[in-house]
Amino acid sequence: MPHQDPAERRVVVTGPPRRTRRALGYYRPRTEIDEQTTLGHTYVRSLMRSQLRAGLTVFAVLCLLIGPLPLLFAAMPDARRVEWAVLGFGVYAPLVLLARWYVRRAERNERDFVRLVEDR
């Protein structure tokens, strides 16, 4: 058996192709996001904008709900028990409902985004 020189020996490395061509007419949003194209950036920015809109809505409702309370308390002298009742019980239920709405809205935004970019 002849001895082969190490410089002449060839090594073939196989693996998945680094870049594949898209078939004409076949559209993959996930690929657009992974490759960080302009369209993928637009998709992600749209998700972030919808999440920001939900967060700002919650913040605005909180400001309208809790913002006037110091003025209300200042207008009622010697009403310590009323203040604690309003803060402890009157604000708690709306805060829980608002938090619940926000979580559901954020999850729905994410579900809609995943449905948009899924390969189907």
Side-chain angles (χ1 to χ4, degrees):
M1 188 175 337
H3 180 58
Q4 194 174 19
D5 186 22
E8 294 177 19
R9 206 164 89 184
R10 292 186 179 194
V11 177
V12 178
V13 178
T14 61
R18 290 185 182 174
R19 187 171 201 123
T20 58
R21 290 186 177 178
R22 271 190 259 168
L24 294 175
Y26 185 65
Y27 172 69
R28 296 181 63 182
R30 182 173 287 179
T31 305
E32 298 289 340
I33 294 169
D34 290 342
E35 292 180 1
Q36 297 180 355
T37 63
T38 304
L39 184 58
H41 179 68
T42 303
Y43 280 130
V44 173
R45 192 173 57 208
S46 171
L47 172 66
M48 292 173 62
R49 203 176 303 138
S50 63
Q51 297 291 50
L52 178 64
R53 190 176 17 245
L56 290 176
T57 301
V58 168
F59 180 71
V61 171
L62 279 175
C63 287
L64 292 174
L65 179 68
I66 297 175
L69 287 180
L71 297 174
L72 177 70
F73 295 152
M76 298 183 335
D78 300 329
R80 283 277 191 223
R81 290 183 184 207
V82 174
E83 291 174 6
W84 284 108
V86 168
L87 290 175
F89 299 106
V91 176
Y92 182 75
L95 285 178
V96 169
L97 293 174
L98 198 56
R100 188 173 180 184
W101 176 85
Y102 174 75
V103 169
R104 285 185 176 194
R105 182 66 189 186
E107 288 175 349
R108 184 181 338 148
N109 289 341
E110 291 174 4
R111 243 187 344 265
D112 292 345
F113 180 76
V114 168
R115 201 174 309 132
L116 176 68
V117 299
E118 258 183 1
D119 297 331
R120 286 190 183 195

